Amino acid sequence: MDGMRRLFVSLCTVACFGLVSLALAPIAGAAPVGAAAGTPWFVNAVGNATQVVSVVGIGGSNATMDIYQRTAAGWQALRTGIPTHVGSAGMAPQAKSGVPATPMGVYSLDAAFGTTPNPGTGLPYTQVVGPNYWWSGDDHSPTFNSMQVCQKAQCPFSTADSENLQIPQYKHAVVMGVNKNKVPGGGAAFFFHTTDGHPTEGCVAVDDAQLVSIMKWLRPGAVIAITK
């Protein structure tokens, strides 16, 4: 046991200097590297992606997240068993405006944002500074399902149908590529973000320390795969 404690302290010390990768930096609440065995469920659904965030529902608004990297030897589980919150209505086959369910499927992770500075992600990052950052949920507007910056009274879309991004849950967030074609009624504002300990409105949420570590690992081309 003392040996394990010394190993943990050593790894944490290295991590503080930014010299350890996701695979070498276990975080409380997740199983160690290599804990997953067998062929991942998503292998036939993610195309050429080499980084996959896997989310599997375990009932209600609860799910488990595993982090996978494709290597020359196949898929490697870098981290497993991360407690995850999904929509208050659980999961659904597809996204639908006004329904607080997390859509199943495989979605790109193209960009990130947050109310704090970029933590070091390899994705394009926008810092939310002040109350004028929105994600348009107005499916009658050409701005539907996109980030917009405007004063509330001057926004060219319905702010009542949209999300203001200056909230604690968006301390850090990664945009999920749900309804990228902006089909009216097909849902908007689906993110992988910091949890507040409660079900989401359809997003995927984990502890902020876990999220930051994953964001530092993510690169363009990564996907999130969701099922139940």
Side-chain angles (χ1 to χ4, degrees):
M1 182 63 71
D2 290 339
M4 289 300 293
R5 288 197 185 99
R6 285 195 296 271
L7 176 59
F8 180 76
V9 170
S10 177
L11 289 176
C12 288
T13 300
V14 175
C16 289
F17 286 92
L19 298 177
V20 69
S21 70
L22 176 70
L24 299 176
I27 293 180
V33 174
T39 302
W41 67 270
F42 54 76
V43 292
N44 295 320
V46 298
N48 295 323
T50 60
Q51 295 182 315
V52 176
V53 177
S54 167
V55 180
V56 178
I58 57 176
S61 61
N62 296 309
T64 296
M65 180 178 293
D66 302 327
I67 307 301
Y68 285 89
Q69 176 82 49
R70 191 200 300 262
T71 70
W75 288 101
Q76 178 188 10
L78 302 182
R79 190 174 294 170
T80 65
I82 302 170
T84 304
H85 290 289
V86 294
S88 59
M91 293 183 177
Q94 60 186 36
K96 185 176 180 181
S97 296
V99 177
T102 300
M104 294 183 289
V106 177
Y107 305 102
S108 60
L109 296 172
D110 299 320
F113 67 91
T115 59
T116 59
N118 186 345
T121 183
L123 302 178
Y125 187 88
T126 300
Q127 185 175 356
V128 172
V129 183
N132 295 333
Y133 287 75
W134 302 83
W135 198 275
S136 174
D138 183 355
D139 56 13
H140 299 294
S141 168
T143 65
F144 181 56
N145 202 21
S146 68
M147 181 184 288
Q148 300 291 316
V149 183
C150 54
Q151 294 184 9
K152 184 175 182 179
Q154 300 175 355
C155 292
F157 53 87
S158 170
T159 57
D161 295 327
S162 304
E163 282 201 52
N164 188 275
L165 301 183
Q166 193 183 36
I167 61 174
Q169 295 92 323
Y170 297 153
K171 181 177 182 180
H172 297 103
V174 182
V175 180
M176 294 165 49
V178 178
N179 195 18
K180 294 176 79 167
N181 292 330
K182 304 183 179 182
V183 177
F190 288 91
F191 310 125
F192 170 25
H193 66 71
T194 303
T195 187
D196 61 1
H198 297 94
T200 72
E201 293 298 308
C203 295
V204 173
V206 299
D207 175 77
D208 188 64
Q210 288 278 6
L211 178 56
V212 167
S213 180
I214 294 167
M215 287 174 68
K216 290 179 178 179
W217 167 77
L218 288 173
R219 294 294 182 270
V223 301
I224 185 167
I226 303 170
T227 192
K228 64 178 180 179

